[in-house]
Amino acid sequence: AQKITQTQPGMFVQEKEAVTLDCTYDTSDQSYGLFWYKQPSSGEMIFLIYQGSYDEQNATEGRYSLNFQKARKSANLVISASQLGDSAMYFCAMREASGNTGKLIFGQGTTLQVKP
Amino acid sequence: GAGVSQSPSNKVTEKGKDVELRCDPISGHTALYWYRQSLGQGLEFLIYFQGNSAPDKSGLPSDRFSAERTGGSVSTLTIQRTQQEDSAVYLCASSLTRTDTEAFFGQGTRLTVV
């Protein structure tokens, strides 16, 4: 069964430094998509970045990049030059093409705190 | 509106009562999803709508939970005879199609069953 694992319940990073949030996934599908969402304390889910399983290059969006290692089934999120506003909960999620619904399977999340 | 709208934002109800949670997706979005987030946990899929039909209800935890969508737009999630374990944040998301690379989430409804 498909599964997303985020092994870091909480992380600290110094402002202006880079941080990597880990995500591993399990699927038997060849076609799937990987997502990262940010959830601030206000509760809304903010889409950050997407990586398709057939994309050969790692996805990047501004300060966010996704370190996609297909053979290892990992999709780590790298945030460069951390800002205080990056403090939030971060969720990794997967969508399988075979499911035919587009539903997302989420990990348990990682709480990131950026220190001034 | 510009985004996904959910109401109410907070709901406190007594155990055993029925509740209705509403989701207004982004106009034109055919795919609509309900998720549940228990305290400090990840999101758990409940149900998927394509237009007005629900081809995937596999995440509904019991027959006390039901949902409908009308006019390809507004969706209502109903929980009958609420239990304390139903306390959670219920999030709605919509996307233009089910294969879009981004789903837009509402702010959620925080349900507390006392």
Side-chain angles (χ1 to χ4, degrees), chain B residues 38-49:
Chain B
S38 300
L39 187 63
Q41 300 295 309
L43 279 69
E44 170 192 17
F45 167 78
L46 297 178
I47 187 169
Y48 157 65
F49 284 94

Side-chain angles (χ1 to χ4, degrees), chain B residues 67-87:
Chain B
E68 65 173 13
R69 187 179 185 193
T70 56
S73 181
V74 172
S75 176
T76 303
L77 177 68
T78 301
I79 309 173
Q80 295 179 309
R81 305 181 302 280
T82 51
Q83 303 294 315
Q84 287 187 329
E85 61 262 28
D86 300 334
S87 296

